Structure formats: structure tokens, C-alpha cells
Amino acid sequence: MSPIGIFGGTFDPIHYGHLRTAFELLYSLRLGEVRFMPAGNPPHRETAIADAELRLAMVQAAVAGQPGFTVDDREIRREGLSYSVDTMRSLRQEFPERSLCMIVGMDAFLGLPKWHQWRDLLQMVHLIVAHRPGWRAPTMGPLGELLVDRGTGAVDDLHGAAGGRIYIHAVTQLEISSTEVRNLIVHKRDPRYLMPDAVRQIIQQSGCYSRPSST
């Protein structure tokens, strides 16, 4: 069976930058699906502005109707901190033989050694690094060594094993960030064309980003 892509994030809110990245990877890597996985209580990020159920609703609205896009709410349902290694263990138990491809940005990849049990994570999944302009893959230190040992430029390697490889892929970079979207809304500017209309409607109806926040 084709690999499963796992695209986690706070999605506070989800926008076209997230969706375009997932769309390109779905087809370029010949993934069976991309699972959008809203974070519950991530240890390495600021507290989300919109609550978990609202962020889940926005993700569901954003991916509705796109073949190959699905939503997984296991992190939101789990109590306590949402460590990626625990999430991947849960998925690996559910899909013991299937290739799992965890999608991260280059900035997140550069911070990988700070992740909880990050070496165990790489035993369970492939790591797909969505390359952003201005970032370069490390050539020295633990990540440089990791890329020498586990890096691959062959999509077939992602299909031939359940996990353990690192694949760096350039994606179209849309200059949109969730922080900037929230700032627009705080200043009463319309975020139209930065996200699907269904997401925009949820934001307008809920008023979840209408007040300035400390994050």
C-alpha cells in the first residue's frame, strides 16, 4: 500500500500555505493519503489561540472534498502533552507494516535534536522535510551525520520500507503564516484568499481571533 503522510501542526488557523505543501507532497511522493493532525497540547509551541475543537473544525472544512486529504484527531483526544513520538507509536500500532511519512518544515527539522525521544521517532517513520527558500540542510553536527546515514533522494525508498529515511523536498513557498493571518483579523482586515472560504466563515462566525493575544 502507498505511504501515509502525516502533517501535524497547531493549524491556528490552517491556510493555503499548509494546503499547497500537502497537495504537492501527496502527488510528488505518491502518497496514499495525507493525514492532517491538529496538535492537542504541543510542548514546543506557544498555546494555541483557538481551542482544539475549533481548530479541528477548521481543518475538516479546509480539506473537505480533496481526494487524498483526511483528518486525524488523535492528538486532540489525548490528554497531556502531545509528543510526536507518542503519536507515531500510536500510528505504528495501527499500521504495523505500512510506510509512514511525517511531514515537517526545514525549521522544525533543524530543531529535531531537541525533540522528545527523537532518535526513537526515526526508527518508526520516514521524515519528509519540506524545504523553504533560504534554508539549507545541515552538513555537520548530529543532523549532518543523520543525513549521511539516513538521507535519500529516491521516492522509491519511502515506499520500500516502513520508516527510517529522511527525504528533503522543495515545495512552493506561499508567504502566509498563521500569525500574520491572526494579526490581519485583529486589525479588522479580511483574510479572504489566504485560506478556503469555509475556514474564513468559521473564523468570522466564532470571532476566535478578533482580540489581540499575548502570543
Side-chain angles (χ1 to χ4, degrees):
M1 299 179 70
S2 299
I4 297 174
I6 302 109
F7 193 175
T10 50
F11 300 123
D12 193 26
I14 191 168
H15 53 68
Y16 281 131
H18 300 126
L19 295 166
R20 182 64 198 183
T21 293
F23 183 77
E24 291 184 6
L25 292 175
L26 175 68
Y27 288 99
S28 297
L29 306 187
R30 308 193 307 273
L31 302 176
E33 64 180 271
V34 173
R35 291 191 175 204
F36 287 78
M37 191 172 292
N41 186 17
H44 302 299
R45 292 177 177 267
E46 299 286 350
T47 302
I49 305 303
D51 66 40
E53 294 301 327
L54 196 56
R55 289 185 289 110
L56 175 62
M58 287 190 280
V59 173
Q60 290 171 330
V63 308
Q66 172 57 50
F69 281 6
T70 61
V71 181
D72 190 317
D73 67 351
R74 74 185 63 210
E75 286 207 351
I76 285 176
R77 288 187 282 107
R78 182 190 303 133
E79 295 181 357
L81 293 177
S82 298
Y83 289 109
S84 295
V85 68
D86 294 331
T87 301
M88 295 307 122
R89 284 194 184 107
S90 173
L91 280 164
R92 180 51 70 204
Q93 290 174 356
E94 187 175 344
F95 302 100
E97 305 295 332
R98 195 164 178 183
S99 169
L100 299 178
C101 296
M102 181 179 173
I103 300 166
V104 300
M106 181 63 79
D107 51 348
F109 176 67
L110 293 177
L112 184 65
K114 298 179 181 179
W115 290 26
H116 181 60
Q117 297 179 3
W118 65 279
R119 294 189 183 276
D120 291 345
L121 184 67
L122 285 168
Q123 299 297 324
M124 294 182 283
V125 301
H126 300 300
L127 211 57
I128 309 301
V129 184
H131 184 272
R132 297 180 177 184
W135 292 99
R136 291 187 178 183
T139 57
M140 301 178 65
L143 291 181
E145 295 173 2
L146 197 66
L147 285 170
V148 171
D149 293 339
R150 297 181 178 269
T152 182
V155 172
D156 286 346
D157 287 345
L158 307 177
H159 289 247
R165 306 305 296 268
I166 301 172
Y167 183 92
I168 298 177
H169 186 83
V171 296
T172 301
Q173 180 64 26
L174 301 181
E175 294 297 328
I176 308 171
S177 78
S178 296
T179 299
E180 291 169 352
V181 169
R182 296 196 304 267
N183 286 338
L184 281 176
I185 296 167
V186 164
H187 291 93
K188 303 186 184 307
R189 296 174 63 185
D190 194 337
R192 184 188 292 272
Y193 306 126
L194 297 177
M195 62 188 65
D197 281 341
V199 176
R200 175 174 165 267
Q201 289 171 6
I202 291 173
I203 291 171
Q204 290 178 329
Q205 291 169 2
S206 68
C208 57
Y209 302 126
S210 60
R211 295 181 180 181
S213 69
S214 60
T215 59

